[in-house]
Amino acid sequence: LQKQLQKDEAEIAALKDEVQNKQEGQLNTIEESLKQEQRNNFLTLAGIFTLLTCLISMFHMTTHVHKLSQPKIQRKIIAILWMSPIYSVTSFLTLIFPPIEGWMAIVKDFYESYCIYVFLSFLIAVLGEGSRDKAVEVLAKHADHLDQPTRCLGCFYEPHPDTSNHAKANAIMTQCQIYCMQFTL
């Protein structure tokens, strides 16, 4: 009877281990399938928003192209509007193909620097009608509330920004151009 009891206990322990192993395997399988399903849902949602971003941006760009009444200004607006689709597509590609993250970051950084340059050109086109000097004059009319551009480098501006509103606006415009050049290089 003792031998039969030991044999039954060993059989019960083996069956217990077998059931436990099957349960762990099933739990791992379920966990992996849930992770895969979550990733698919995440990618689907990201893809939907990427597509939505591209469609909205393309709608605005085509509207500007169809009603091209001020081409110098609208071309700059279109270039700036390209930023959303480029960012969304490169981010989506990074989610799908993680090894290309570095290359996509380079694309985003280049276009970001280009957009900063285009935005400054846009401001010059709108404020100064394409002339930097006219833009400085417009800024000089409203420069009385502006702070001095850079306190530590103020001695390098000619004339000094404290001289007049025109000098202050010119210094700010120069500082913006230097800032844009740093990003484009």
Side-chain angles (χ1 to χ4, degrees):
L1 188 63
Q2 194 70 346
K3 284 185 179 186
Q4 184 64 31
L5 185 62
Q6 287 176 350
K7 183 179 175 186
D8 289 343
E9 284 178 354
E11 193 175 311
I12 290 172
L15 288 173
K16 182 181 173 184
D17 288 341
E18 184 180 335
V19 168
Q20 191 175 10
N21 288 337
K22 283 184 181 180
Q23 284 179 343
E24 286 176 5
Q26 288 174 346
L27 287 175
N28 288 339
T29 304
I30 291 170
E31 186 178 326
E32 288 175 14
S33 66
L34 280 175
K35 284 182 182 179
Q36 185 63 34
E37 188 175 331
Q38 284 176 341
R39 178 165 168 73
N40 289 342
N41 290 340
F42 179 68
L43 288 176
T44 302
L45 189 63
I48 288 170
F49 282 116
T50 298
L51 182 63
L52 190 62
T53 300
C54 292
L55 290 174
I56 291 171
S57 295
M58 293 298 168
F59 170 74
H60 287 292
M61 285 185 261
T62 55
T63 304
H64 277 286
V65 169
H66 288 301
K67 298 177 182 176
L68 204 59
S69 59
Q70 296 177 327
K72 288 183 179 181
I73 294 173
Q74 287 176 301
R75 282 185 287 158
K76 291 167 181 44
I77 292 172
I78 291 170
I80 293 169
L81 284 173
W82 271 106
M83 185 142 192
S84 296
I86 288 174
Y87 259 60
S88 63
V89 168
T90 54
S91 297
F92 184 69
L93 289 175
T94 300
L95 288 175
I96 294 175
F97 308 110
I100 63 170
E101 180 181 359
W103 294 103
M104 293 296 109
I106 290 171
V107 170
K108 283 192 251 186
D109 289 343
F110 274 123
Y111 202 78
E112 180 182 2
S113 63
Y114 176 69
C115 275
I116 291 171
Y117 164 75
V118 170
F119 183 70
L120 182 63
S121 299
F122 169 75
L123 290 178
I124 290 173
V126 170
L127 294 175
E129 299 167 358
S131 170
R132 182 186 185 279
D133 294 331
K134 286 183 182 179
V136 169
E137 287 177 22
V138 170
L139 287 174
K141 290 178 187 175
H142 306 286
D144 53 347
H145 68 281
L146 297 174
D147 292 334
Q148 188 174 343
T150 49
R151 299 178 204 289
C152 60
L153 299 176
C155 61
F156 294 111
Y157 292 110
E158 187 60 41
H160 196 272
D162 288 336
T163 309
S164 68
N165 285 342
H166 190 281
K168 191 183 290 187
N170 192 24
I172 289 173
M173 186 63 80
T174 304
Q175 189 174 11
C176 288
Q177 286 178 328
I178 290 170
Y179 182 73
C180 286
M181 288 172 59
Q182 288 174 346
F183 274 104
T184 56
L185 296 178

